[in-house]
Amino acid sequence: MNWNFDNSYSRLSDVFKEHIEPIAVKNPELVLMNKDLVEELNLDFSKIDKNVLAALFTGNILPEGSNAIAQAYAGHQFGHFTMLGDGRAVLIGEHLTKNNERYDIQFKGSGKTAFSRNGDGRAALGPMLREYIISEAMHHLNIPSTRSLAVAKTGEEIMRETPLQGAILTRVASSHIRVGTFQYVAARNKKDELEILLNYVIKRHYPKLINSNNKALDLLNVLIDKQIDLVVNWMRVGFIHGVMNTDNMTISGETIDYGPCAFMDTYDPKTVFSSIDKMGRYAYCNQPAITKWNLSRFAECLIPFIDQDENKAVKSATEIIETFGKKYEEKWLKMMRTKLGLLGEDNKDKFLIVDLLTWMHQNKADYTNTFCHLMNLKDYDDELYKDDNFQKWKKNWLERLKLNNNTQENYTKLMRSVNPLVIPRNHKIENALEKANDSNLKPFNKLLEILKAPYELQENISDYLKMDTSFKDYKTFCGT
Ligand code: AMP
Ligand code: MG
């Protein structure tokens, strides 16, 4: 095994983590391994026996150079502050690729840690496979995301409402440092500890800021941009994260924690899938506002480094946080223009976009497929688009396209680069998981293959392209 570990986080003081020995599992069995990602990480498991791989991806064998830790963090969960930490995850180490890119290798569902509170530290097969397929789908949609390297069954039952098969996901991330990591350290009220974290993050993720005059302020600025880019991407494809607590927001700008997330079918800005999100805090349309709220919590942690005078520091941080609205609006508008193939800027563009979204909402149109219809793709025709109001809107859109002063080929190419032709439809995910639970991975692997090429026309996949109306009231669960 050619792991190349260099565990910088575990060298930080014990404030930030607990060392841990992963608990051996009873009967490891490899379910899936992501061969593309294995290669991208410059790993080579080709000569390794399947049983050894199963032992590896359940933590029964720890690779040389690894050093398992559970990371400490806190977080605002649905607005309430709590001390948390890796309650069912262990970071086995940081692997360096040939190009010196650093990736956390983490097991999720590998047993109790010092941060488990009342949990059992375990995870079930269904939710781990769900994270695997959705995180990989996000990656192939060109959206920054943690990745999934493997899923292995533990051969143990875990108790939820019913007994379920235990499993471990190997998650790969450019780091697992969260807004909540800063909140954890800030809550301890020791400036020197916070400074260690700040410098560590800058060195690891934003080395351009090493010589900055005000690292904290610059980091805040950079993270605002990163997180806006991320949420704009989510809005682009209709992704609803579902549990945007501050502990589930990374400092790297990658999507993390695929619990109750799902993709919107019918366009409705208030869409919520998570069964516990009764107030719709994390609804589709609230995601930008929550991103800003989370960034404000991040800014609070940085106050001691922004200015020695606390009032001045708060003022500077507030000013930066208040740039969020305008920046978001600009980036969202740019993204929506691209979805509609609009080149240049016309001051009526926003109305044109909002008119389409309003029509989609009123007519219960499918978000993904409406853009596919506008790209003139077969398979996406629907009686719905004969509607007079849609046709009127389309006329205005075609008028606006004339202002592009460019060929149809060019603007269609642009549209094709941002409008997915296929998304992980809820019924397909559920069906794949149900079959996988009975050891039939065929539907799962087929869906995974299709989701690897979301912008390409694929033959014979028409039943992957439409929502199943019996999933109209689909609900998701945190899957703990
Ligand atoms: P999440 O909702 O997955 O973001 O998790 C929130 C917190 O609960 C984190 O600190 C997790 O580590 C912890 N947690 C979730 N599930 C379990 C579990 N089965 N056992 C122990 N801790 C858990
Ligand atoms: Mg989490």
Side-chain angles (χ1 to χ4, degrees), residues 73 77 84-88 116-117 119-122 160 247-248 257 480:
Y73 55 85
Q77 299 186 301
L84 298 160
D86 286 333
R88 55 159 173 173
S116 296
R117 295 175 294 165
D120 60 359
R122 296 291 185 193
R160 294 296 180 258
D247 50 302
N248 292 337
D257 233 312
T480 51

Side-chain angles (χ1 to χ4, degrees), residues 17 19 21 43 74 103 139 144 150 193 197 222 284 325 342 360 370 381 398 413 427 462:
K17 84 296 167 163
H19 279 271
E21 295 294 327
L43 292 166
Y103 291 100
H139 170 75
E193 293 175 359
L197 183 64
V222 171
Y284 176 75
L342 307 179
M360 283 165 66
T370 301
D381 238 350
L398 292 170
K413 213 167 137 192
H427 66 291
S462 55

Side-chain angles (χ1 to χ4, degrees), residues 137-145 225-241 253-255 263-264 284 287-288 291 328 331-336 338-339 367 417-420 423 455:
M138 290 290 271
H139 170 75
H140 292 287
L141 284 161
N142 302 328
I143 301 179
S145 174
D225 284 335
K226 280 259 170 190
Q227 289 295 341
I228 290 178
D229 288 341
L230 185 64
V231 74
V232 165
N233 264 315
W234 292 356
M235 303 308 272
R236 169 170 69 84
V237 299
F239 175 78
I240 299 165
H241 182 282
E254 288 171 350
T255 311
F263 283 71
M264 172 168 69
Y284 176 75
Q287 297 189 123
T291 301
Y328 174 77
K331 290 195 178 191
W332 177 82
L333 205 55
K334 187 164 176 234
M335 174 277 285
M336 290 304 291
T338 318
K339 275 179 89 71
Y367 181 66
S417 70
V418 293
N419 291 316
I423 53 163
Y455 301 106

Side-chain angles (χ1 to χ4, degrees), residues 271-290:
T271 305
V272 174
F273 290 109
S274 170
S275 55
I276 57 166
D277 191 2
K278 301 271 187 260
M279 308 292 282
R281 179 181 169 91
Y282 299 136
Y284 176 75
C285 63
N286 286 348
Q287 297 189 123
I290 290 293

Side-chain angles (χ1 to χ4, degrees), residues 88-89 106-110 123 128 131 167-169 171 257-258:
R88 55 159 173 173
Q106 194 203 57
F107 292 147
K108 187 167 170 180
S110 53
M128 295 305 99
E131 167 152 350
I168 293 174
L169 170 84
R171 178 159 72 178
D257 233 312
Y258 292 87

